[in-house]
Amino acid sequence: MRLGIDIGGTKTAAVAMDANGRVTEQIRMPTGWGGEAVVDTAVRAVTELAGLTGVSAHRFDSIGIGIPGQVERTTGRVSHAVNLGVDDLDLGGRLAGRLGIGVRVENDVKAAALGAYHLLALDGSMAFLNVGTGLAAGIVFDGRLWRGARGTAGEVGHMTVDPSGIVCACGQRGCLETVASGAAIARDWPTSDPLPVRALFDAADTGDGRAIALRDRMSDGLAMAIRNLVLTVDVDRVVIGGGISAMGSRLLDEVLRALRASALDSPFIASLELGSRVQLMPLGSPAAAVGAALVGVGG
Amino acid sequence: MRLGIDIGGTKTAAVAMDANGRVTEQIRMPTGWGGEAVVDTAVRAVTELAGLTGVSAHRFDSIGIGIPGQVERTTGRVSHAVNLGVDDLDLGGRLAGRLGIGVRVENDVKAAALGAYHLLALDGSMAFLNVGTGLAAGIVFDGRLWRGARGTAGEVGHMTVDPSGIVCACGQRGCLETVASGAAIARDWPTSDPLPVRALFDAADTGDGRAIALRDRMSDGLAMAIRNLVLTVDVDRVVIGGGISAMGSRLLDEVLRALRASALDSPFIASLELGSRVQLMPLGSPAAAVGAALVGVGG
């Protein structure tokens, strides 16, 4: 029995997975704020799944954790997890001490990529394009996570799209993330809606010119991310996930429109059949928790 | 004994490689124009290497060919090889008929990537950025060529950098190739120098404002290609090759300057240490011929 835990900014999801890769138990709980609370949340998830499965914590075959921020995989050290109030945390060491078993820690987007590949029963190659507060991808080749030379594979949100654009959190100017991400929408379309992109799409549907422009800018940006992923690594599929996937077909339709527009004047781009490679990850699917359970197995 | 043949726009290079991966013979000859002449050139290269090595053609362990244009790998069919005057050619079938042995055909940039990886004795992951008439990359992971789902991996020249830019041969507007390639320089800096980029660099060195702007545009474009390759697949190394590598350190210094500039305001980009990952492939090195000999072995 494997355990996978996805520690998110507000909620933590965890799954127990049997030897056949089937999810047998699934739980959700709020995530605490700060390093201590994050460790407590992970321990609680393990304890609850131990109770539900009847397997004691130190008897699990593996425990994997997906968490936002930079992860040092060999030690399980986490840094810059700003959404969790964590600047620097020896999550791997702390959990090993509390649980009496080693845990594997992976960046949440990379874990979600592996989980999506598994849950969608894909083969070949896939990029998981996570549109949350930021924009990043996880790349899976033949069922294995491609982390790259230094773990920064998939950082497509920091490709420059406009050298005269807005300064990004990373310090560069005009990164793709500054036009196509949850943070970009929240910045440019202030609203009380907990999902600003929904408020934006609603306003665009009523014909608001500025909303239409911002919606199109985001759709064009996501289309560019998809195009660049295919032009670089030529993945079989691009799966769109993250908080923005709550928009469902309203979002997918816009992205497909932008992809069609880019193929209109280019037989080469048309030949890539980008639209047929794209799909949405259903919101609420436990991709990152499942991927965390698979870290070290499939990738 | 393996044979590798690199059929270029004006010259054909061919190598014989022993079981240890050492090049034992190396020849060069002019390439003929059009399909018939291309077939004749390949046959002549095989015949000459058979003479030099004392191994008759049908006793070679394999024969591989690198050629510009689109290659259908299963059949060895070549299309759109405009620099060779070839619109559509069943190169694989024609050579099998003439030589009595199957040949493997691969796109020349992909072959050069594999050959560069071998000749530079690299490990890990590498992108070979070929700056010739066009701009394209070949990607090698752990010694194996990554072709992608449909063989279009590495088409970084067709990432959009300026939506209001010049129309590219591919039909899109503002592709990276329209600012950072031999064709882009030849278009914007007409000269009788057989290497227009040299004339451009010379003019820039004398302080010509427009030459400096064009040189910087190209260097910035190549830096962007390198940045995007690392941000997407995070390769250990990026090797710059193709005709433009004749500029040697004059080119490399400009690219390194552009990479440093992009890291200046971004600790994230600085942390990628892009400059330390980049190197030039020496001009005249038989990378594509060596790679062609290795196609089907290492990749």
Side-chain angles (χ1 to χ4, degrees), chain A residues 139 141 146-155 158-159 170-172 228 231-234 236 265-266 269 273 277, chain B residues 139 141 146 148-155 158-159 170-172 228 231-234 236 265-266 269 273 277:
Chain A
I139 299 174
F141 293 145
W146 176 258
R147 293 183 182 85
R150 309 182 188 195
T152 59
E155 288 285 3
H158 299 291
M159 300 197 291
C170 84
Q172 292 190 102
N228 286 358
L231 287 172
T232 308
V233 278
D234 190 17
D236 288 287
D265 296 320
S266 173
I269 295 295
E273 298 180 318
R277 305 197 196 193
Chain B
I139 299 174
F141 292 144
W146 176 259
R150 309 184 189 194
T152 59
E155 288 286 3
H158 298 290
M159 299 197 290
C170 84
Q172 292 190 105
N228 286 357
L231 287 172
T232 308
V233 278
D234 190 17
D236 286 287
D265 296 319
S266 173
I269 295 295
E273 298 178 317
R277 305 195 195 193

Side-chain angles (χ1 to χ4, degrees), chain B residues 182 185-186 189-203 246-247 250:
Chain B
I185 300 299
W189 196 260
T191 170
S192 59
D193 192 312
L195 191 64
V197 68
R198 181 169 53 205
L200 175 72
F201 273 54
D202 288 348
M247 293 300 294
R250 285 178 84 187

Side-chain angles (χ1 to χ4, degrees), chain A residues 243-268:
Chain A
I244 216 167
S245 59
M247 293 300 295
S249 61
R250 286 178 83 184
L251 173 75
L252 187 60
D253 288 349
E254 288 300 321
V255 172
L256 291 175
R257 178 202 55 70
L259 288 172
R260 274 194 305 272
S262 75
L264 218 55
D265 296 320
S266 173
F268 171 62

Side-chain angles (χ1 to χ4, degrees), chain B residues 12-13 22 82 90 92 115 122 135 166 171 173 180 183 210 219 253 258 274:
Chain B
T12 288
R22 264 193 322 241
V82 285
D90 178 17
L122 297 179
L135 180 71
I166 293 167
R173 202 173 268 282
R210 194 165 155 269
S219 312
D253 288 349
L274 295 168

Side-chain angles (χ1 to χ4, degrees), chain B residues 14-244:
Chain B
V15 299
M17 181 183 280
D18 69 15
N20 298 317
R22 264 193 322 241
V23 171
T24 59
E25 301 290 347
Q26 187 173 346
I27 57 171
R28 275 172 166 269
M29 59 185 71
T31 305
W33 178 258
E36 289 307 312
V38 163
V39 172
D40 286 345
T41 305
V43 170
R44 201 181 128 207
V46 173
T47 309
E48 288 198 11
L49 281 173
L52 285 166
T53 56
V55 177
S56 63
H58 64 277
R59 299 287 302 274
F60 288 117
D61 294 314
S62 71
I63 301 179
I65 300 197
I67 190 162
Q70 279 181 25
V71 174
E72 200 181 277
R73 286 184 59 244
T74 47
T75 60
R77 189 166 208 99
V78 179
S79 52
H80 307 302
V82 285
N83 293 340
L84 300 171
V86 168
D87 185 47
D88 183 62
L89 173 66
D90 178 17
L91 183 60
R94 292 291 304 280
L95 285 177
R98 289 276 291 272
L99 298 170
I101 170 176
V103 301
R104 299 184 180 107
V105 186
E106 182 56 89
N107 168 270
D108 62 340
V109 173
K110 290 190 170 67
L114 198 57
Y117 190 94
H118 181 81
L119 289 168
L120 296 169
L122 297 179
D123 54 19
S125 54
M126 178 208 71
F128 180 83
L129 186 61
N130 191 78
V131 196
T133 307
L135 180 71
I139 299 174
V140 179
F141 292 144
D142 294 329
R144 298 187 72 84
L145 207 46
W146 176 259
R147 295 184 179 85
R150 309 184 189 194
T152 59
E155 288 286 3
V156 295
H158 298 290
M159 299 197 290
T160 310
V161 291
D162 181 3
S164 60
I166 293 167
V167 173
C168 177
C170 84
Q172 292 190 105
R173 202 173 268 282
C175 288
L176 189 49
E177 188 172 289
T178 65
V179 298
S181 68
I185 300 299
R187 179 196 66 221
D188 290 335
W189 196 260
T191 170
S192 59
D193 192 312
L195 191 64
V197 68
R198 181 169 53 205
L200 175 72
F201 273 54
D202 288 348
D205 285 349
T206 67
D208 183 298
R210 194 165 155 269
I212 292 172
L214 287 173
R215 182 193 63 189
D216 291 355
R217 187 187 68 173
M218 191 190 67
S219 312
D220 290 345
L222 295 179
M224 174 177 274
I226 293 163
R227 223 160 43 236
N228 286 357
L229 279 162
V230 171
L231 287 172
T232 308
V233 278
D234 190 17
V235 281
D236 286 287
R237 300 204 71 80
V238 179
V239 177
I240 300 177
I244 216 168

